[in-house]
Amino acid sequence: MLYISFVFLATPILHGWNTTGITAAGASDGSGGTAPNLFSQPYGIALGSFDSLYIADFSNNRIQKWLINASNGTTVAGLSNGTAGASSIALNLPASVVLDSNDNMYFTDRDNHRVVYWANGASSGTTIAGITGTSGSTNNTFFGPCGIARDSSTGTIYIADTFNHRIMQYLVNASSGTVVAGGNGAGPGTTQLAYPYGLTFDSSSNSLLIANAQTNNIVRWVLGASSWTLVIGSPTGLSGNTSTLLNQPIGITLDPMGNIYVADSGNHRIQFFFAGQFNGITIAGVTGSPGISQSQLFSPYWVIVDNQLNLYVSDTFNNRVQFFSHYLT
């Protein structure tokens, strides 16, 4: 069993992650399907109360709730048989999900071009942003929204309007949004984004960290600013598999110390970056080596950490969610 150890800059305590994962949800052998114990390309993940995971089961058009250590999931949004639709009870390629303190769900329903609010325990949802089934680039429409982030202090949501290459901000109960990042066409310029997928809100700097899949970088866009600053990767869009480069980053999250975790999907790995550092450390997966073993990943799309810094990873093309335990030495 292999381990990685290193030192957080702010503390002398050694931290690391077990590089052999445990399948927390789905089939460990990569089997896909619509049964309650299976997924088809799981995407965004959120941690709920009582040791629960909420997983956007992308190609099954549903959100699954999976209790830690359970052998099956429960469909909490969408149709359990995987059928796509555009009604208040059906979904079409849900990409990511966030929760409020009561486990009410907010999620992007990508191919319905909308954001849905689904109250905890409800049998149907409400479109709170976008127009169901209508793509567009106005301030009240989306084109294939993927990532979503929520400011828990205000209820404001931020949506990666992926195929419009912009981030939209929606205030509580607003009928239209505001472009807060991008919106200047796809490209590597500092006023542009290029297929932004994952994003996270950093309250300490009132900014968004955004994963640009096409330009292979992570950028910081301070709210109110007209351009971004580079955080990780190439400023010109160069891809690579070194410690300083990325290849189609999709998911991104922060820990309480401001360290960054990136689902580097094209490199089949999870990269860890100390706050303020450009050099990453591979903490899950094997760089450039997709596979089904418990130490490998296959195009991971999402990563989150719990309050003990354990990792949960959407191992998307292996149709499973992997758990990598954190340890102190």
Side-chain angles (χ1 to χ4, degrees):
M1 191 173 292
L2 299 176
Y3 293 87
I4 297 170
S5 295
F6 46 88
V7 181
F8 281 106
L9 298 182
T11 173
I13 300 173
L14 288 175
H15 294 251
W17 284 268
N18 188 338
T19 59
T20 300
I22 297 169
T23 300
S28 60
D29 66 359
S31 300
T34 59
N37 65 327
L38 299 175
F39 296 106
S40 182
Q41 298 184 344
Y43 210 122
I45 323 170
L47 277 166
S49 56
F50 306 109
D51 293 327
S52 58
L53 291 171
Y54 289 73
I55 302 157
D57 192 6
F58 184 71
S59 294
N60 278 332
N61 307 297
R62 64 191 185 184
I63 307 293
Q64 295 292 93
K65 180 180 179 181
W66 202 294
L67 299 178
I68 303 299
N69 297 321
S71 56
N72 291 281
T74 302
T75 300
V76 291
L79 300 176
S80 60
N81 64 5
T83 301
S87 69
S88 63
I89 64 171
L91 308 176
N92 193 351
L93 302 183
S96 65
V97 56
V98 294
L99 307 174
D100 65 18
S101 58
N102 295 312
D103 283 0
N104 300 309
M105 294 178 286
Y106 302 76
F107 53 83
T108 53
D109 190 15
R110 195 192 78 174
D111 276 22
N112 280 325
H113 311 291
R114 66 183 179 180
V115 174
V116 176
Y117 170 78
W118 200 296
N120 187 5
S123 58
S124 63
T126 302
T127 298
I128 59 171
I131 301 173
T132 301
T134 300
S135 63
S137 58
T138 60
N139 280 0
N140 67 335
T141 57
F142 300 108
F143 184 16
C146 287
I148 185 170
R150 182 174 180 270
D151 180 353
S152 60
S153 65
T154 65
T156 299
I157 57 174
Y158 300 92
I159 303 108
D161 189 10
T162 303
F163 293 86
N164 278 326
H165 315 291
R166 65 185 185 178
I167 306 298
M168 300 296 294
Q169 177 193 66
Y170 270 74
L171 304 178
V172 175
N173 297 323
S175 58
S176 64
T178 303
V179 179
V180 292
N184 298 304
T190 59
T191 65
Q192 297 176 296
L193 300 173
Y195 295 96
Y197 276 83
L199 78 163
T200 189
F201 175 67
D202 182 6
S203 59
S204 67
S205 59
N206 195 39
S207 67
L208 299 169
L209 287 173
I210 304 164
N212 273 321
Q214 189 178 71
T215 50
N216 306 297
N217 56 24
I218 307 297
V219 301
R220 182 183 300 276
W221 203 303
V222 176
L223 293 175
S226 58
S227 62
W228 52 257
T229 56
L230 183 68
V231 178
I232 299 165
S234 165
T236 61
L238 178 69
S239 66
N241 61 11
T242 66
S243 63
T244 61
L245 294 176
L246 303 171
N247 186 0
Q248 296 181 341
I250 301 292
I252 178 175
T253 196
L254 287 169
D255 68 23
M257 288 78 73
N259 303 311
I260 299 172
Y261 306 72
V262 179
D264 189 15
S265 71
N267 283 322
H268 312 289
R269 66 187 183 182
I270 304 301
Q271 291 293 93
F272 171 87
F273 295 84
F274 289 113
Q277 299 298 304
F278 286 94
N279 278 287
I281 299 167
T282 300
I283 58 173
V286 180
T287 300
S289 178
I292 194 62
S293 77
Q294 293 294 323
S295 63
Q296 291 176 297
L297 303 169
F298 186 8
S299 294
Y301 271 16
W302 219 254
V303 57
I304 58 173
V305 295
D306 65 18
N307 57 12
Q308 301 298 313
L309 301 186
N310 300 306
L311 303 177
Y312 292 88
V313 177
S314 277
D315 191 10
T316 301
F317 284 83
N318 278 328
N319 300 306
R320 64 187 184 182
V321 174
Q322 294 293 93
F323 172 84
F324 296 87
S325 59
H326 173 260
Y327 65 91
L328 301 174
T329 59

